[in-house]
Amino acid sequence: QDAGTLAAVSQALVDALRARGWTLATTESCTGGGVAHAVTAIPGSSDVFDRGFVTYSNRAKTDMLGIPAATIAREGAVSEAVAAAMAEGALRASGADVVVAITGVAGPGGGTPAKPVGTVCFAWATRDGAREVRTRHLEGDRDAVRAASVRFARPRGVSAPTSASRASSSSAPSESVGPTSWPTTRSRRS
């Protein structure tokens, strides 16, 4: 991955979050904290980055995010249902306004015919109620899958997918993720 491009995109994300008065939390499995690392590499990101959960194991998903073990057993750790539950759990466990969740099979092992290496599920959620879940089928080795996941996962300019546009895709990640129709004001916390 191009470190310069990643830094520029991460800076744009930090700036957009700051402009909206929003904070971000991440919950990551196959990327092992890669999104959190990219965002916190930006000076001043402490204004907008609330926390990151690295929930690599199924037990961590249950212990840290409250995902029922039965959901993981039924759907599989790499599933849209678990990605969505990770995002919801991170919203509950954090003070963030927007959350991104990632779970996938980075390889080289662990793939199945139904979920081959490169299958990555993403979920985005805002405290204001916007939700989106997507599955991507990414090409390359472990490093390439993880890097592409980090690039795709970050809600660039906080223009992440909306709850109205659920999609699955097998193409390479794009530079823009969905329309910019998430709420633009800071949510009230109770």
Side-chain angles (χ1 to χ4, degrees):
Q1 104 189 1
D2 178 6
T5 300
L6 182 58
V9 172
S10 296
Q11 181 68 61
L13 173 61
V14 167
D15 293 344
L17 288 164
R18 188 176 289 120
R20 289 186 180 201
W22 277 11
T23 56
L24 171 71
T26 62
T27 178
E28 304 177 63
S29 185
C30 66
T31 50
V35 174
H37 174 79
V39 171
T40 60
I42 303 302
S45 60
S46 59
D47 294 347
V48 298
F49 188 79
D50 181 65
R51 69 191 74 189
F53 300 91
V54 177
T55 54
Y56 203 76
S57 70
N58 291 345
R59 182 174 177 181
K61 290 172 182 66
T62 298
D63 291 352
M64 296 174 74
L65 303 175
I67 301 171
T71 299
I72 298 170
R74 182 180 65 251
E75 302 291 336
V78 178
S79 64
E80 290 187 351
V82 169
M86 289 169 66
E88 294 295 333
L91 272 179
R92 281 191 307 273
S94 75
D97 298 294
V98 60
V99 171
V100 61
I102 309 165
T103 183
V105 184
T112 67
K115 296 177 186 176
V117 169
T119 302
V120 184
C121 301
F122 302 86
W124 297 266
T126 69
R127 199 156 297 281
D128 290 340
R131 302 291 186 270
E132 175 66 13
V133 178
R134 290 187 184 197
T135 296
R136 302 294 291 217
H137 299 284
L138 305 170
E139 298 295 325
D141 64 9
R142 181 177 182 82
D143 289 340
V145 168
R146 288 166 48 107
S149 296
V150 168
R151 286 191 306 271
F152 183 75
R154 291 178 335 287
R156 291 133 184 102
V158 195
S159 56
T162 65
S163 58
S165 62
R166 185 181 169 118
S168 289
S169 175
S170 61
S171 63
S174 62
E175 284 303 307
S176 175
V177 182
T180 55
S181 59
W182 279 20
T184 57
T185 58
R186 184 180 190 94
S187 63
R188 299 231 184 250
R189 295 193 181 116
S190 51

